[in-house]
Structure formats: structure tokens, C-alpha cells
Amino acid sequence: MNPTILQPGVTSLTVPLADAALRGTLHLPTVATALIILAEAGPAPAARNEALATVLQQAGLATLTLDLLTHAEERFRDPHHNVALLVKRLLAGVELIKRHIQLGDLPPLPIGLCAAGDCSPAIVRIAALRDGDIYALVCRDGLIDGAGMLYLRSLKAPLLLLVQPGNEPALASNRRALRELSCVNELKVLPANSDGATRGASLAALAHDAAQWFTRHLPRAKRPAG
């Protein structure tokens, strides 16, 4: 265990595995109401996760941005689409956070999961597997029916599905998944950019919607008596 993660602020975090070491960045405010794990697979989503993490932190949420692939794996497409591998890796990250909470190294923060693209089906499957540990989910532009029908049907955590305008594969995937879900859920197409030149408007809407979903559905952190 790395004792520096006890301190409020920004800390690099490593999740050791038998076949890899995952890289993560923990942002722990002095007072946080929950912890959001932002799962990514490679460098492409990193800038968007960083911007999203900032908005979540401003809403009083701690964040752990966790890359589920090594630098070597990022160059190949197969690991990006290997849901079982991404699930195994993210489970290790969740279990590490839970151990720190159980040991008192971290405050007892409720956990939410957020992911884009290839990582989206992985967080759905993990939330179904660990329904006592995961309280809310946000997926963006991911093909979540790849999580598998069994996991979709057993998911209990509230799920927000965000889709960029024009992303028809993600929209079709999410609509198929909605037919299997019994949990609280919402599918939302983000607004198109008026100038067509940047994705700033949709990114701002994404960050706002994700922060609102987590603050609405995550329970408040337990405070020690005293």
C-alpha cells in the first residue's frame, strides 16, 4: 500500500497485476462525497477523461483515472476490444480501492464508474458483478451490449448512457441494451456543436450530465462519529 494516497491532492497510483501494472491518477479533495473511477484504454480518451475529471472534482467528487492497458498494449487493437481483459484489470483497481477503504487508508467513499468507448461494456459487467460496491455508472459512446445479456439483466446500479450526435453504432447498441435493463437508466444524445468546428459544446454537456447523474444517484459518504 502506498501511504501517500491518504493525503488530499493528486497522487500517482499503481495497480500491480501478474501480467501488468496499471497506471492511475487519484485526485482526492479535502472533503469528498464519493469516488468516481474513470476507466480508459490507451491514450485516445485521456484528454476527455482529464476534462471530465476536473468537472467531477468541482462537484465535490474524488476521481481515479485508471488506464487499463500498458503502453505496449495500446498499439494493438485486440486488447482494446477484449472485454474480459478490461474487466479483470478494472476489478483489480476496484479491489485495491476497497482494500484501502477497509484499512482506513481512504475515507469510506461510495464508488461510481465512468467509461467511454471500449471500456463501457467492461464497467457495466463489473457493476453487475460487484453490485454491492458500485452505486452508479456513466457510459459514453460505448457499445454496451458487448457486456453480455446476463450482465445487462442483472445490473442494479443506475446507468446513464451518453452518445455523441451522429454516433449511430453506439446509439443502436444502447437501444438494444435498454430492452434488457431493469435498473434506473437514461439514454441521452449530446447536443451538436453549432459551429461544427469543435467538440467543446458536447464535451461541456457530457461533463455536466455526468456530474449531475453521479451527485443524484451516489449516496453521501459516511462521516465518522465525533
Side-chain angles (χ1 to χ4, degrees), residues 1 6 96-106:
M1 298 294 179
L6 297 173
L96 179 65
I97 291 298
K98 292 296 293 183
R99 285 199 299 272
H100 279 297
I101 291 174
Q102 291 164 0
L103 291 171
D105 297 338
L106 283 172

Side-chain angles (χ1 to χ4, degrees), residues 6-19:
L6 297 173
Q7 304 302 319
V10 182
T11 304
S12 295
L13 183 65
T14 300
V15 181
L17 301 172
D19 58 346

